[in-house]
Amino acid sequence: MVSLSTWCRYIARKFEYSLSLSWKSYQVGQISDREVGDTVWKHLFQGKMTYLHWTKGKEMAPTIAEQGGTLLVRHLAVSDPTRVFVGDVVVLKDPEKTDSHLVRRLAAVEGYEMVSTVEKEEPFILEKDECWVLSDNEALKGKEAKDSRTFGPVPMTDIVGRVIYCLRSAVDHGPVQNSHYSMQKDSPVIAVELDVDAMAKNHKA
């Protein structure tokens, strides 16, 4: 049973999401200024802020099991350092395969100085709207990890969502450890939109 206070927090999050999504549609010319208000209310009362995503591979172990996991992803209408934070597990466009997505942890954002463990490589600072993503599996090195150590910085705009819940099996599932701020913001979304049974039905492992 979801409490009234949680519902209020959820509605506030969804209203913020609806505004961002509608403004984004307006900026790219998909809707006119007269349609913005109606679009906000449409997003507020229809649909969800989350979707299911399946992924597998050893790159994000142990957060996501190597044999695969069904993820509840909170869609991000806008991805910038005020909405997604260092420490968050994110879904982003694969820099090497335009029709695919990766799940990685956000390790640094614009303004961070990146210092390599390789002495010959010069330090550099991430430019505006750039970010650095890493795999969780510390045992992987170099190309095995398939993260920013391989393909370099990626645009923040390539981040499409934040992973907020992971189902590894019918009896092994729970919230994903993200930044403290994101977990606070996402807790009412999980409370209202999480459906473990639906996740289990979509699970491929």
Side-chain angles (χ1 to χ4, degrees):
M1 186 71 176
V2 180
S3 68
L4 179 60
S5 62
T6 299
W7 268 109
C8 290
R9 289 167 58 213
Y10 171 76
I11 292 171
R13 299 285 181 265
K14 196 167 186 184
F15 183 65
E16 178 186 2
Y17 168 76
S18 301
L19 280 174
S20 298
L21 203 59
S22 301
W23 181 246
K24 183 178 180 180
S25 297
Y26 170 71
Q27 286 184 310
V28 298
Q30 293 179 344
I31 59 174
S32 67
D33 54 351
R34 294 182 179 180
E35 296 173 302
V36 172
D38 289 340
T39 305
V40 170
W41 292 112
K42 179 181 177 181
H43 288 311
L44 182 62
F45 292 110
Q46 296 179 12
K48 295 182 176 182
M49 288 187 285
T50 59
Y51 63 93
L52 298 182
H53 178 78
W54 164 261
T55 189
K56 67 176 181 177
K58 54 188 177 182
E59 293 88 356
M60 287 302 292
T63 303
I64 304 169
E66 183 175 343
Q67 63 269 28
T70 299
L71 311 176
L72 183 67
V73 181
R74 180 176 175 179
H75 181 256
L76 298 171
V78 178
S79 297
D80 61 39
T82 67
R83 291 178 173 86
V84 59
F85 309 94
V86 170
D88 290 352
V89 177
V90 297
V91 178
L92 67 150
K93 297 174 184 176
D94 189 332
E96 299 173 337
K97 295 180 181 178
T98 55
D99 59 343
S100 298
H101 290 82
L102 296 176
V103 177
R104 296 292 183 267
R105 194 175 294 275
L106 186 62
V109 295
E110 59 183 63
Y112 274 58
E113 182 179 18
M114 309 305 297
V115 180
S116 175
T117 55
V118 180
E119 291 185 5
K120 294 181 180 179
E121 295 183 1
E122 293 289 329
F124 64 93
I125 295 176
L126 291 176
E127 297 182 3
K128 182 174 174 57
D129 298 326
E130 284 187 339
C131 65
W132 193 265
V133 295
L134 296 174
S135 65
D136 270 8
N137 192 338
E138 296 180 357
L140 299 181
K141 304 298 180 183
K143 293 183 179 180
E144 285 184 310
K146 195 179 180 183
D147 56 22
S148 285
R149 289 171 291 182
T150 303
F151 47 69
V154 294
M156 285 288 289
T157 51
D158 280 1
I159 296 175
V160 298
R162 178 168 53 242
V163 181
I164 60 177
Y165 200 92
C166 176
L167 184 140
R168 291 167 285 272
S169 72
V171 294
D172 182 12
H173 53 84
V176 170
Q177 189 68 39
N178 287 315
S179 65
H180 178 70
Y181 188 59
S182 289
M183 293 189 75
Q184 283 187 320
K185 293 184 70 173
D186 295 336
S187 62
V189 180
I190 293 175
V192 174
E193 297 196 5
L194 175 65
D195 185 340
V196 175
D197 290 337
M199 292 182 73
K201 288 178 182 178
N202 282 274
H203 197 60
K204 300 178 183 179

